[in-house]
Amino acid sequence: MAKSDGSSTIACPFHALEFDQTGSTVLLGSNKATKSLLKPLELIIQGDLIWSYGGVEPKMPIPNVLNEFTADYEFAGVAGECSVKTDLLSMLLNMHDYNHQNGTHRPLFEIERIDFKRFIDQRLHSHAYYDMPRAQPKWQDLLKNPALLEMPKVIRAHLENYFPAIVIFTW
């Protein structure tokens, strides 16, 4: 956020606190800056997103995908958070397992199979395009979850991976 004196701050979207370039903040109702408890990080600002390598030498550039993806959306808040306790290798294998939906989410979405259409490998960035035909929901399932009527007979999915930590799933 640009200030009238030429300085700028970054505001936390969750707490509405503003931080200056030293990592200090001014508490509401006070003109006294807090003492920064950590060494300030070098920040990289891309559009509405703020990145940091945490003082570590970068091994790869920051992907631009989130800027492209968020250009059509506005941040409304966090709808949920989930942590999976696992080792890194197992998580990476799961993120790059394109049959994962067929096994793990089969009962929820009544997935019959995975029909792979196309895979684009760009080393640390990949795309998988596939269709997931769904079984006709049973009456008891519809009574429990009428939203199943709105789901398509075939889910056309696009899974985009940015190794190691960004996965975007659209359908």
Side-chain angles (χ1 to χ4, degrees):
M1 184 177 304
K3 301 288 183 181
S4 58
D5 65 0
S7 65
S8 61
T9 61
I10 294 175
C12 172
F14 299 105
H15 304 100
L17 295 173
E18 289 185 26
F19 296 87
D20 66 14
Q21 69 277 7
T22 69
S24 298
T25 186
V26 176
L27 300 175
L28 294 176
S30 166
N31 287 327
K32 185 176 179 185
T34 62
K35 180 179 179 186
S36 176
L37 299 176
L38 301 172
K39 180 181 169 193
L41 298 172
E42 180 182 339
L43 301 178
I44 302 161
I45 300 171
Q46 287 183 349
D48 292 336
L49 303 171
I50 301 169
W51 298 86
S52 176
Y53 285 103
V56 176
E57 182 68 30
K59 301 286 186 211
M60 65 176 79
I62 294 170
N64 195 37
V65 65
L66 295 178
N67 290 325
E68 296 167 5
F69 189 76
T70 59
D72 296 330
Y73 301 94
E74 287 187 37
F75 179 73
V78 176
E81 185 176 319
C82 176
S83 294
V84 177
K85 292 186 180 192
T86 187
D87 61 282
L88 179 61
L89 180 57
S90 297
M91 181 57 75
L92 292 174
L93 289 171
N94 186 51
M95 287 170 56
H96 294 273
D97 175 5
Y98 302 109
N99 203 40
H100 168 81
Q101 292 81 2
N102 191 31
T104 305
H105 304 294
R106 176 187 287 257
L108 178 63
F109 296 109
E110 304 271 338
I111 297 170
E112 292 180 327
R113 67 183 181 277
I114 301 289
D115 294 336
F116 229 167
K117 299 297 181 185
R118 186 172 171 209
F119 181 75
I120 301 170
D121 183 1
Q122 298 170 315
R123 296 186 43 118
L124 300 173
H125 177 201
S126 65
H127 298 265
Y129 297 89
Y130 49 92
D131 292 347
M132 295 181 285
R134 297 179 54 248
Q136 182 66 35
K138 299 170 191 68
W139 280 108
Q140 62 268 27
D141 296 331
L142 291 172
L143 291 172
K144 284 189 246 177
N145 186 3
L148 290 173
L149 288 169
E150 295 295 322
M151 293 195 61
K153 175 68 177 146
V154 176
I155 298 171
R156 299 193 188 292
H158 173 205
L159 187 64
E160 191 169 356
N161 278 295
Y162 287 85
F163 183 83
I166 299 173
V167 177
I168 299 172
F169 180 73
T170 53
W171 64 314

